[in-house]
Amino acid sequence: MPDLPTLRPALAGEPALDSTTIALQALPEGHLLQIMGATERAVVEAAIAAAGLEGSDVREAGYRQWYVVGDKQLSSKTLRELTSALPAGTFLSDQSHGRVRIRLSGPHATKLLSTGTAVDLHDAAFPEGRSAITLFGHLSVHLTRKSAAGFELIVLRSFAEALYEELHAHAA
Amino acid sequence: MSSHRLSTGGQIDRARSVKFTFDGKALTGHPGDTLASALLANGIQLVGRSFKYHRPRGILTAGAAEPNALVTTGTGGRTEANTRATMIELHDGLNARSQNRWPSLGFDIGAVNGLLSPFLSAGFYYKTFMWPAGFWEKVYEPLIRKAAGLGKASYEADPDSYEKCWAHCDLLVIGAGPSGLAAALTAGRAGARVLLADEGFAFGGTLLTDRDARLSAMLAELEALPNVQCLPRTTVIGWYDDNVFGAVERVQKHVAEPDPGQPVERLWRIIAKQAILASGAEERPLVFGGNDIPGVMMAGAMRSYLNRQAVAPGKRVAVFTTNNAGYRTAADLEAAGVDVAAIVDPRATNEPGWNGKAKVLTNACIVDALGGKSVSGVSIAGASGVQRFEADAVAMSGGWSPVIHLACHRGAKPVWSDTHAAFLAPERQEGLSLAGAAAGLWSTEACLSDGSRKAAEALQLLGFAKVEPAFAEADAAQPAATPFWFAKGSKGKAFVDYQNDVNLKDLGLAVREGYGDVELAKRYTTNGMATDQGKLSNINAIGILAEARGVSPADVGTTTFRPFYTPVSFGALTGASRGKHFQPVRKSPLHDWAKKNGATFVETGLWYRAAWFPRAGETTWRESVDREVLNIRKNAGICDVSTLGKIEIFGRDAATFLDRVYCNGFAKLPVGKARYGIMLREDGMIYDDGTTSRFSDDHFFMTTTTALAAGVLTHLEFCAQTLWPELEVHFASSTDQWAQMAVAGPKSRAILSEIVDEDISDAAFPFMSARTVSLFGGKLEGRLFRISFSGELAYELGVPAGYGESVADAIMQTGEKHGICAYGAEALGVMRIEKGHVTHAEINGTVTPGDLGFGRMVSTTKPDFIGKVMLAREGMQASDRPRLVGVKPLDPKASFRTGSHILSDGAAATLENDQGYVTSSCYSPNLGHTIGLALIKNGPERIGEKVMIWNGLRNEFTDGVICSPVFIDPENEKLHA
């Protein structure tokens, strides 16, 4: 029997950036679950609470689509519990490896993002907790405002390196 | 020297000097100068040669419409041709050169064209260079391009960086003249998010020229408002759908050494809830003989140079005007101590209120400006005949044309107004209103009032409660304008379009020859083309055409305004998408695994796919591929297939849904099984193919081809959302979730058995099984599929992407004793051709399932599926359609190429005799010769027929024979092993 398989994060080896104006870092590849079918946020929140995932963040990801994200890796068992906690007509697709989370923050974060996204990032138009699916340049991203000057971008794993390097180049 | 700097006045910083060069000559100016004003201040009035006749040309305007003073700036990769001297902010180290002259600006051989001008009238090229036809491209055009022309682009890479960005606002104000400033102040005070853009480096517009005392307070207030963003040096270039505006900001075009951390230009895409176009009005030139001699200038431009940069155009100026603008210029010239030789006004009475020294000649016009490289005098025709006046400069004003280009970018048509003697755009369109001079208001007070009012209106539309206009209502009454299209009796050439050397006679000729329609006249004479797009010339040309045709300008109409308003650099349009960042790279989770195993990669769309894995001693790709193929068929191989599209399909109605999108049945697919599916388009042709597996009653897993992964997901969403919204079905792309590897070859089961915990014997896990499996003694879960593209006993194993490299390593490690090798897309291709499996080389958009031998897969029992109706058409079922077969050379040593055509034996090599073509081909290391798949008329009925394989491009002929498309294991014994 070969060795225990080891996890290799998509952005392993990409340097974090932390300047006075911009901070950029890859977030832990914990869990990212795509929930489909539920119309209400509360339904998703109830299901993740039932599965003991109170710390996870629920984000809008399109019509009747949600992302449940968190830093903790989930076992197959937990996923099955969560799946069975979902009401009929609501489905779960594990995307913990398919999507990668990147954190971008700092006083210049909004300016940097506006070079790539057409989303209005003014505090009033895109307050804390708001999410949008948009493009950053050529790449599709799911964008969430986490704080006044802090954002999280979710990108397809295959494009994570390209996005990270592009953000890094813009920020440098 | 006639133009010169005055000893006092102007809005320049006289304490500092700026060093620059023009045609190699070292010169100085001051901050606040443009290149144009600095050249004039240095007495340089000759700055370029005209496009066709190489006539000496000077500076005509002080703004974006400049047609003459085009220069090349910068050196090396920073070389920029055809920049307008009037728009270049003077900076230290500026290196500017004149264009279109040889050997020098002063002595230009090309000026001989002027002597040939009787032969070079409108349509000359069309008439003269018609025969022989082949000469146009090879001889005439290169010669003409060499003689006529503008600046030359650099071949060196641009060292600077560019940026694109998005902006949002409640109100975008375009133009920071009196109307724009009033609008921005009104909206800014009301708390709206305001963006104020102006193409100049200083805000103020005519308030700068007027030296209006209110300006500095207005600017200070705007600066202090946090909700107002000011964008100087920013030209709004286009108005697009959804009220998106394009703008180019010249961030660092005015600095000696650009800061490498900042872009030199920034392309803005501005999403405005409301916008106000306060772009002002363009002064119209007057058409008279010699109106292009250096020293002839727009009256407003002359006044701008005088008041902003303290530059006098000469010592004695003749003013030719149809409106009060010329009088304003004359007054300011006199105040600055410059003589005004005469004010020539074609109207019957002079402008009321003139109390200057200069004599006013009414009912008169300048028929000719005299001189060569500078003005020496003018000929004035009046009541008492033609008189000659000494003058070294001429100011002209033919009235004002509102700058309405942006307002017409989305289809609105300009409408002629007799009272304005100008074309106006609709004053209010959804999301955009015109203010001030752009709306045909000429006085400063009227513009301040109109800008305030329009901003208040716009904000009220956005729900702002009470908005206080920044300026009070003003009397908008103004006298009717009198159009004056050209001076009669000119001796010299009277230019209408300076940039294209179109003169009055050319337009007359166009009308006489039947090209009087405004669109035809433009193409026939080239009036209104090139970099200035007729900003100065179009309205005069329309007036002249109208007069020649005996109709109103309203009947002539305008040509179409299209973005961009002014030329935009490729750099700005490219933004940061250059070099490494030209397009994103898409990497498989097994990319680094392939890399460390020595893969050579090939770009497939954005993906980088491993193509083959060369080993020591292999010198050609074929050696590597042949080895990989032979080894897989003998032992085993592992290949990264993660790039194939993967879609999770959930929902109560998922099975019904799949039954409708595939032409074959899926509703009864058992849980734990995979099935090959063919998806048709509505027209009955195949769209995509792949396998779909069932993991539970309401959960399917679809694979697509790499190329159409995104397309298929979009197609599924479209079907679910618009065709069958009643079906409960949800989709999630999981392409990136899984590292997917194909393990193929007779030893594949033995290798995988060491990793997969479950029994995968043929009995427990037969062909087309698909299940979630436990791996590594329960340490990981994956998905195992018994499917085969190669025709071998084969599996595909999917594991969560982050574990991909580690699992592939483990398979290589356990497979070592079984002789496993890594293989790439090339070997994959060879094996699928050997097995007769199709890809998009065969699924070329014109084939039906029947054409590829899948006719019997198409369901006859399903009530409906996409493509069903059209597939039943007669032509789609015809037996002589090109259908899939194999081809091979008669002589195994002979070869042929993909794309070659098939001819019946003995038929001549003509397209009429075409029987079909080779869709895929390769060298089969198992068979020892070239093999191919082909789409051939009646193909399956012709197996065994001798044909000629013809490559018309390379003139290659190969004797071949039609055969079965399955070259290896037609009984599928390997597959089911």
Side-chain angles (χ1 to χ4, degrees), chain B residues 446-481:
Chain B
C447 288
L448 289 167
S449 155
D450 195 42
S452 309
R453 189 160 55 91
K454 296 280 169 57
E457 277 176 23
L459 293 196
Q460 272 149 18
L461 287 172
L462 297 180
F464 281 74
K466 176 108 178 88
V467 181
E468 205 60 55
F471 288 86
E473 284 291 323
D475 182 11
Q478 55 193 25

Tab-separated table of all heavy atoms in Angstrom, chain B residues 446-481:
chain	number	residue	atom	x	y	z
B	446	ALA	N	-25.570	81.757	-19.594
B	446	ALA	CA	-26.583	80.765	-19.980
B	446	ALA	C	-26.051	79.358	-19.735
B	446	ALA	O	-26.797	78.463	-19.318
B	446	ALA	CB	-26.964	80.954	-21.445
B	447	CYS	N	-24.760	79.161	-19.970
B	447	CYS	CA	-24.165	77.833	-19.771
B	447	CYS	C	-24.118	77.466	-18.288
B	447	CYS	O	-24.430	76.333	-17.902
B	447	CYS	CB	-22.757	77.778	-20.358
B	447	CYS	SG	-22.762	77.776	-22.161
B	448	LEU	N	-23.725	78.412	-17.433
B	448	LEU	CA	-23.679	78.154	-15.988
B	448	LEU	C	-25.073	77.774	-15.485
B	448	LEU	O	-25.242	76.822	-14.703
B	448	LEU	CB	-23.177	79.397	-15.251
B	448	LEU	CG	-21.688	79.737	-15.426
B	448	LEU	CD1	-21.396	81.156	-14.923
B	448	LEU	CD2	-20.803	78.726	-14.702
B	449	SER	N	-26.052	78.490	-15.975
B	449	SER	CA	-27.424	78.243	-15.545
B	449	SER	C	-27.910	76.893	-16.066
B	449	SER	O	-28.509	76.098	-15.335
B	449	SER	CB	-28.306	79.395	-16.055
B	449	SER	OG	-29.620	78.976	-16.191
B	450	ASP	N	-27.620	76.607	-17.329
B	450	ASP	CA	-28.111	75.369	-17.937
B	450	ASP	C	-27.457	74.142	-17.278
B	450	ASP	O	-28.131	73.141	-17.008
B	450	ASP	CB	-27.818	75.377	-19.438
B	450	ASP	CG	-28.609	74.316	-20.187
B	450	ASP	OD1	-29.810	74.146	-19.881
B	450	ASP	OD2	-28.027	73.636	-21.055
B	451	GLY	N	-26.164	74.218	-17.018
B	451	GLY	CA	-25.467	73.108	-16.358
B	451	GLY	C	-26.072	72.823	-15.000
B	451	GLY	O	-26.312	71.666	-14.626
B	452	SER	N	-26.375	73.893	-14.241
B	452	SER	CA	-26.977	73.725	-12.912
B	452	SER	C	-28.335	73.060	-13.020
B	452	SER	O	-28.665	72.128	-12.284
B	452	SER	CB	-27.158	75.083	-12.231
B	452	SER	OG	-25.960	75.816	-12.265
B	453	ARG	N	-29.124	73.546	-13.970
B	453	ARG	CA	-30.495	73.048	-14.115
B	453	ARG	C	-30.498	71.576	-14.542
B	453	ARG	O	-31.244	70.759	-14.002
B	453	ARG	CB	-31.233	73.907	-15.155
B	453	ARG	CG	-32.723	73.648	-15.243
B	453	ARG	CD	-33.434	74.831	-15.903
B	453	ARG	NE	-32.855	75.122	-17.215
B	453	ARG	CZ	-33.304	74.572	-18.350
B	453	ARG	NH1	-34.303	73.725	-18.329
B	453	ARG	NH2	-32.743	74.884	-19.508
B	454	LYS	N	-29.616	71.244	-15.499
B	454	LYS	CA	-29.598	69.866	-16.007
B	454	LYS	C	-29.143	68.888	-14.911
B	454	LYS	O	-29.630	67.762	-14.820
B	454	LYS	CB	-28.698	69.760	-17.237
B	454	LYS	CG	-29.185	70.588	-18.435
B	454	LYS	CD	-30.287	69.883	-19.188
B	454	LYS	CE	-31.001	70.754	-20.221
B	454	LYS	NZ	-30.151	71.346	-21.222
B	455	ALA	N	-28.205	69.346	-14.069
B	455	ALA	CA	-27.744	68.470	-12.984
B	455	ALA	C	-28.877	68.246	-11.984
B	455	ALA	O	-29.103	67.126	-11.514
B	455	ALA	CB	-26.541	69.086	-12.290
B	456	ALA	N	-29.603	69.317	-11.673
B	456	ALA	CA	-30.715	69.187	-10.727
B	456	ALA	C	-31.769	68.221	-11.276
B	456	ALA	O	-32.276	67.358	-10.564
B	456	ALA	CB	-31.332	70.560	-10.457
B	457	GLU	N	-32.057	68.371	-12.565
B	457	GLU	CA	-33.034	67.468	-13.198
B	457	GLU	C	-32.577	66.013	-13.108
B	457	GLU	O	-33.350	65.112	-12.789
B	457	GLU	CB	-33.158	67.803	-14.694
B	457	GLU	CG	-34.092	68.947	-15.015
B	457	GLU	CD	-34.066	69.246	-16.512
B	457	GLU	OE1	-33.698	68.340	-17.321
B	457	GLU	OE2	-34.396	70.374	-16.860
B	458	ALA	N	-31.290	65.797	-13.420
B	458	ALA	CA	-30.754	64.426	-13.431
B	458	ALA	C	-30.842	63.801	-12.041
B	458	ALA	O	-31.219	62.642	-11.888
B	458	ALA	CB	-29.313	64.436	-13.924
B	459	LEU	N	-30.520	64.596	-11.024
B	459	LEU	CA	-30.555	64.053	-9.658
B	459	LEU	C	-31.988	63.789	-9.206
B	459	LEU	O	-32.248	62.835	-8.467
B	459	LEU	CB	-29.866	65.005	-8.684
B	459	LEU	CG	-28.356	65.185	-8.849
B	459	LEU	CD1	-27.770	65.808	-7.608
B	459	LEU	CD2	-27.657	63.873	-9.142
B	460	GLN	N	-32.890	64.635	-9.656
B	460	GLN	CA	-34.286	64.390	-9.287
B	460	GLN	C	-34.771	63.062	-9.875
B	460	GLN	O	-35.515	62.332	-9.241
B	460	GLN	CB	-35.176	65.549	-9.739
B	460	GLN	CG	-35.218	66.637	-8.654
B	460	GLN	CD	-35.400	68.036	-9.207
B	460	GLN	OE1	-35.824	68.204	-10.345
B	460	GLN	NE2	-35.066	69.035	-8.405
B	461	LEU	N	-34.302	62.736	-11.083
B	461	LEU	CA	-34.645	61.442	-11.681
B	461	LEU	C	-34.116	60.285	-10.829
B	461	LEU	O	-34.663	59.188	-10.852
B	461	LEU	CB	-34.065	61.323	-13.092
B	461	LEU	CG	-34.729	62.156	-14.188
B	461	LEU	CD1	-33.932	62.079	-15.478
B	461	LEU	CD2	-36.159	61.661	-14.423
B	462	LEU	N	-33.024	60.546	-10.102
B	462	LEU	CA	-32.443	59.497	-9.263
B	462	LEU	C	-33.049	59.482	-7.863
B	462	LEU	O	-32.601	58.723	-7.004
B	462	LEU	CB	-30.927	59.696	-9.151
B	462	LEU	CG	-30.138	59.577	-10.453
B	462	LEU	CD1	-28.655	59.807	-10.197
B	462	LEU	CD2	-30.336	58.202	-11.079
B	463	GLY	N	-34.002	60.365	-7.634
B	463	GLY	CA	-34.684	60.358	-6.350
B	463	GLY	C	-34.091	61.290	-5.313
B	463	GLY	O	-34.486	61.253	-4.146
B	464	PHE	N	-33.143	62.145	-5.689
B	464	PHE	CA	-32.635	63.151	-4.746
B	464	PHE	C	-33.755	64.153	-4.522
B	464	PHE	O	-34.412	64.585	-5.478
B	464	PHE	CB	-31.419	63.872	-5.316
B	464	PHE	CG	-30.148	63.072	-5.204
B	464	PHE	CD1	-29.917	61.988	-6.038
B	464	PHE	CD2	-29.190	63.399	-4.249
B	464	PHE	CE1	-28.758	61.237	-5.932
B	464	PHE	CE2	-28.031	62.652	-4.144
B	464	PHE	CZ	-27.810	61.572	-4.986
B	465	ALA	N	-34.011	64.486	-3.261
B	465	ALA	CA	-35.166	65.332	-2.953
B	465	ALA	C	-35.008	66.719	-3.558
B	465	ALA	O	-35.238	66.918	-4.745
B	465	ALA	CB	-35.355	65.396	-1.449
B	466	LYS	N	-34.555	67.649	-2.783
B	466	LYS	CA	-34.469	69.029	-3.282
B	466	LYS	C	-33.025	69.298	-3.672
B	466	LYS	O	-32.120	69.149	-2.857
B	466	LYS	CB	-34.944	69.976	-2.162
B	466	LYS	CG	-34.832	71.443	-2.489
B	466	LYS	CD	-36.207	72.066	-2.731
B	466	LYS	CE	-36.101	73.564	-3.023
B	466	LYS	NZ	-35.901	73.866	-4.422
B	467	VAL	N	-32.851	69.656	-4.910
B	467	VAL	CA	-31.494	69.958	-5.374
B	467	VAL	C	-31.445	71.439	-5.753
B	467	VAL	O	-32.238	71.919	-6.557
B	467	VAL	CB	-31.110	69.082	-6.588
B	467	VAL	CG1	-29.697	69.397	-7.026
B	467	VAL	CG2	-31.259	67.604	-6.246
B	468	GLU	N	-30.503	72.121	-5.137
B	468	GLU	CA	-30.383	73.570	-5.354
B	468	GLU	C	-29.425	73.829	-6.513
B	468	GLU	O	-28.252	73.439	-6.430
B	468	GLU	CB	-29.837	74.202	-4.061
B	468	GLU	CG	-30.180	75.659	-3.863
B	468	GLU	CD	-31.684	75.921	-3.814
B	468	GLU	OE1	-32.389	75.285	-2.989
B	468	GLU	OE2	-32.127	76.756	-4.607
B	469	PRO	N	-29.863	74.456	-7.598
B	469	PRO	CA	-28.925	74.754	-8.691
B	469	PRO	C	-27.813	75.693	-8.209
B	469	PRO	O	-28.060	76.608	-7.430
B	469	PRO	CB	-29.796	75.444	-9.745
B	469	PRO	CG	-31.206	75.085	-9.386
B	469	PRO	CD	-31.221	74.896	-7.903
B	470	ALA	N	-26.589	75.433	-8.664
B	470	ALA	CA	-25.452	76.241	-8.205
B	470	ALA	C	-25.482	77.653	-8.779
B	470	ALA	O	-24.937	78.577	-8.194
B	470	ALA	CB	-24.143	75.544	-8.582
B	471	PHE	N	-26.125	77.794	-9.936
B	471	PHE	CA	-26.204	79.122	-10.555
B	471	PHE	C	-27.655	79.430	-10.906
B	471	PHE	O	-28.425	78.527	-11.259
B	471	PHE	CB	-25.338	79.195	-11.818
B	471	PHE	CG	-23.864	79.210	-11.498
B	471	PHE	CD1	-23.171	78.023	-11.312
B	471	PHE	CD2	-23.195	80.410	-11.338
B	471	PHE	CE1	-21.826	78.032	-10.984
B	471	PHE	CE2	-21.848	80.432	-11.008
B	471	PHE	CZ	-21.163	79.237	-10.826
B	472	ALA	N	-27.986	80.697	-10.812
B	472	ALA	CA	-29.366	81.124	-11.038
B	472	ALA	C	-29.721	81.030	-12.514
B	472	ALA	O	-28.851	80.950	-13.378
B	472	ALA	CB	-29.540	82.560	-10.549
B	473	GLU	N	-31.019	81.062	-12.753
B	473	GLU	CA	-31.507	81.083	-14.136
B	473	GLU	C	-30.943	82.311	-14.849
B	473	GLU	O	-30.834	83.385	-14.274
B	473	GLU	CB	-33.044	81.187	-14.141
B	473	GLU	CG	-33.755	79.878	-13.804
B	473	GLU	CD	-33.602	78.816	-14.891
B	473	GLU	OE1	-33.606	79.170	-16.081
B	473	GLU	OE2	-33.440	77.622	-14.536
B	474	ALA	N	-30.548	82.147	-16.109
B	474	ALA	CA	-30.050	83.286	-16.880
B	474	ALA	C	-30.839	83.378	-18.169
B	474	ALA	O	-31.449	82.403	-18.603
B	474	ALA	CB	-28.570	83.099	-17.178
B	475	ASP	N	-30.803	84.545	-18.748
B	475	ASP	CA	-31.515	84.770	-20.002
B	475	ASP	C	-30.827	83.959	-21.103
B	475	ASP	O	-29.640	84.123	-21.367
B	475	ASP	CB	-31.463	86.279	-20.325
B	475	ASP	CG	-32.235	86.576	-21.596
B	475	ASP	OD1	-32.957	85.671	-22.070
B	475	ASP	OD2	-32.104	87.708	-22.104
B	476	ALA	N	-31.607	83.069	-21.710
B	476	ALA	CA	-31.014	82.203	-22.734
B	476	ALA	C	-31.225	82.753	-24.141
B	476	ALA	O	-30.870	82.102	-25.118
B	476	ALA	CB	-31.585	80.797	-22.623
B	477	ALA	N	-31.803	83.957	-24.226
B	477	ALA	CA	-32.063	84.513	-25.556
B	477	ALA	C	-30.741	84.806	-26.259
B	477	ALA	O	-29.792	85.298	-25.647
B	477	ALA	CB	-32.881	85.795	-25.429
B	478	GLN	N	-30.642	84.457	-27.514
B	478	GLN	CA	-29.427	84.757	-28.267
B	478	GLN	C	-29.801	84.992	-29.724
B	478	GLN	O	-30.788	84.473	-30.216
B	478	GLN	CB	-28.411	83.631	-28.116
B	478	GLN	CG	-28.933	82.261	-28.508
B	478	GLN	CD	-28.011	81.140	-28.042
B	478	GLN	OE1	-27.262	81.273	-27.099
B	478	GLN	NE2	-28.067	80.024	-28.754
B	479	PRO	N	-29.004	85.825	-30.404
B	479	PRO	CA	-29.346	86.130	-31.793
B	479	PRO	C	-29.183	84.902	-32.677
B	479	PRO	O	-28.389	84.019	-32.378
B	479	PRO	CB	-28.340	87.221	-32.171
B	479	PRO	CG	-27.204	87.045	-31.228
B	479	PRO	CD	-27.775	86.486	-29.963
B	480	ALA	N	-29.970	84.881	-33.751
B	480	ALA	CA	-29.859	83.768	-34.695
B	480	ALA	C	-28.508	83.834	-35.395
B	480	ALA	O	-27.966	84.910	-35.648
B	480	ALA	CB	-30.981	83.844	-35.725
B	481	ALA	N	-27.938	82.667	-35.670
B	481	ALA	CA	-26.627	82.616	-36.330
B	481	ALA	C	-26.811	82.618	-37.845
B	481	ALA	O	-27.847	82.210	-38.362
B	481	ALA	CB	-25.889	81.363	-35.899
